[in-house]
């Protein structure tokens, strides 16, 4: 592979911003210096734009296998790299659910043939596969999770304390959970179904999947984890009250409890249900402006550690109809980074914090090998972000297989210009420059 030389870049890395050049060779960063000259390199002038480590998205639902009418590894990874996401971790709620190591390895084999981004896959855990889930190799699998699955036919794992005790006492890999109390949600649903005479408006989603439901489950899980000190990660924290339950620590490598916020909980509020309706029906629900602002503050304080997309495409037909009929989840991986940079332009979060929460901390928490930082010797997963480039998200610009997104019509000021994955220029100015496939992610082995 020929060398690539990226010049005149404003690098954002490890809490600082500085102008530098970057030399890439054999898929890795060979040198970072103020001035680099190499006659054997292809030169890319970054023109003072931001150069950041690619986003590592630890929660996507790419729907492959079994639900590929909504999305697949090829289409959704294209959308990911166009949005500056160079690595992803995919959930087990495919068909069949990823509940055996054989099925897990089949997904890895499929990604090796299809994915433009680097990849890892969670092993699912339910009532019947504890022993199998505990056998996963934590050097080559990101973790185990219940997200998108039911522990049994009615409940998620966070509502089964006896089983959590067994899991937490034995798990040597990271356990990532969806945390909502189903009994509270069911009670809320019955109440509002009765009050609205069966015609529930989408705005009540935040009341049905309420703050109480989230906080109750999260407290329960934290109490059990405290006995065993296993590595626990909370997906998609959606309430300010939950965020305040989490310790404000910056010792990310040694934290035993970590958490994520998702872009839709940082961008939308319950007021947006009036305009967006079922398009922004997610689980957990989008809540208040207070919750949104508190989540951002919790990110800054180190209570919440990372930002993810929770990209979960459904067909257009599945997002139409009544409250009961519309499925929860939406496609957003192509737009997560640009939306975050828009929040930065509003002064709500800094560019350095975006890089920290979308790349550095993901690498630290999951103990990723040689990724997540712009360092000499690391893999060259690099993204160029152009500021002051106003654009509108249109339906024609979407790369999601499902063909729609809840952010169509949003006007943004930052845009992904180039994406390098393992040193390969994959994407540039709305054009895919290479179809070289991404690589499997690997992790440090430790409990």
């Amino acid at each position: 592979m020929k060398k690539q030389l990226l010049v005149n870049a404003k690098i954002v890395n490890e809490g600082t911003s500085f102008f530098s050049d970057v030399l890439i060779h054999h898929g890795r960063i060979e040198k970072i210096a103020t001035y680099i000259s190499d006659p054997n390199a292809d030169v890319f002038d970054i023109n003072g734009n931001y150069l950041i480590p690619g986003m590592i998205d630890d929660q996507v639902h790419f729907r492959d296998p079994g639900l590929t009418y909504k999305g697949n590894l090829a289409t959704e990874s294209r959308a990911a790299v166009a949005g500056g996401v160079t690595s992803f971790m995919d959930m087990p709620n495919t068909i069949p659910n990823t509940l055996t190591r054989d099925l897990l390895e089949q997904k890895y084999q499929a990604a090796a043939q299809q994915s433009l981004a680097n990849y890892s896959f969670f092993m699912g855990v339910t009532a019947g596969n504890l022993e199998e889930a505990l056998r996963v190799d934590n050097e080559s699998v990101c973790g185990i999770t219940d997200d998108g699955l039911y522990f049994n036919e009615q409940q998620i794992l966070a509502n089964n304390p006896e089983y959590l005790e067994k899991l937490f006492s034995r798990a040597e890999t990271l356990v990532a959970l969806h945390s909502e109390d189903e009994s509270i949600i069911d009670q809320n649903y019955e109440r509002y179904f009765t009050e609205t005479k069966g015609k529930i408006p989408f705005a009540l989603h935040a009341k049905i999947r309420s703050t109480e439901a989230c906080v109750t489950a999260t407290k329960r899980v934290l109490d059990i984890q405290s006995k065993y000190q296993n590595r626990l990660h909370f997906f998609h924290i959606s309430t300010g009250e939950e965020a305040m339950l989490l310790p404000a620590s910056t010792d990310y490598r040694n934290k035993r409890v970590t958490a994520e916020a998702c872009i839709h909980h940082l961008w939308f509020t319950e007021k947006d249900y009036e305009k967006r309706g079922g398009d922004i029906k997610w689980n957990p629900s989008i809540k208040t402006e207070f919750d949104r602002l508190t989540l951002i503050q919790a990110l800054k304080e180190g209570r919440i550690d990372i930002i993810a997309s929770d990209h979960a495409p459904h067909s257009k037909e599945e997002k139409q109809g009544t409250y009961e009929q519309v499925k929860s989840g939406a496609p957003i991986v192509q737009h997560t980074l640009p939306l975050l940079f828009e929040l930065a332009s509003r002064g709500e979060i800094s560019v350095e914090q975006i890089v920290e929460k979308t790349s550095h901390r993901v690498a630290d928490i999951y103990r990723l090998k040689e990724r997540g930082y712009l360092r000499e010797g690391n893999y060259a997963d690099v993204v160029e972000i152009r500021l002051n480039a106003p654009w509108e998200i249109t339906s024609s610009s979407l790369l999601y297989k499902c063909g729609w997104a809840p952010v169509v019509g949003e006007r943004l000021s930052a845009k992904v210009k180039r994406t390098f994955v393992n040193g390969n220029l994959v994407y540039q100015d709305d054009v895919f420059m290479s179809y070289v496939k991404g690589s499997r992610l690997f992790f440090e082995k430790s409990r």
Side-chain angles (χ1 to χ4, degrees), residues 10-63:
K10 187 175 183 180
I11 291 177
V12 184
N13 190 58
E14 302 191 58
T16 62
S17 301
F18 57 96
F19 284 93
S20 188
D21 297 348
V22 178
L23 184 64
I24 298 171
H25 193 210
H26 294 309
R28 294 178 181 263
I29 297 172
E30 184 172 283
K31 187 176 183 181
I32 300 174
T34 303
Y35 175 76
I36 302 173
S37 178
D38 193 318
N40 298 314
D42 289 331
V43 178
F44 298 87
D45 192 344
I46 306 302
N47 288 306
N49 292 333
Y50 282 120
L51 197 68
I52 66 174
M55 180 173 176
I56 305 167
D57 194 340
D58 86 319
Q59 191 190 172
V60 303
H61 302 258
F62 280 179
R63 306 303 192 194

Side-chain angles (χ1 to χ4, degrees), residues 63-100:
R63 306 303 192 194
D64 204 340
L67 297 165
T68 52
Y69 68 93
K70 308 183 191 199
N72 59 49
L73 287 164
T75 60
E76 308 314 284
S77 69
R78 288 177 80 248
V81 298
V85 176
T86 54
S87 300
F88 65 83
M89 302 176 198
D90 184 75
M91 297 296 110
N93 60 328
T94 48
I95 298 176
N97 293 164
T98 314
L99 300 179
T100 70

Side-chain angles (χ1 to χ4, degrees), residues 2-3 51 98 184 186 188 190 205 257 307 315 331-332 337 379 431 435 442:
K2 193 172 182 180
K3 291 183 179 181
L51 197 68
T98 314
I184 294 174
D186 290 343
N188 291 338
E190 292 299 327
H205 192 53
V257 177
I307 301 171
S315 69
I332 203 165
L337 266 182
Y379 288 100
V431 176
Y435 286 89
F442 289 95

Side-chain angles (χ1 to χ4, degrees), residues 11 29 125 299 311 321 356 371:
I11 291 177
I29 297 172
V125 60
L299 283 160
H311 173 80
E356 176 188 348
R371 300 190 190 274

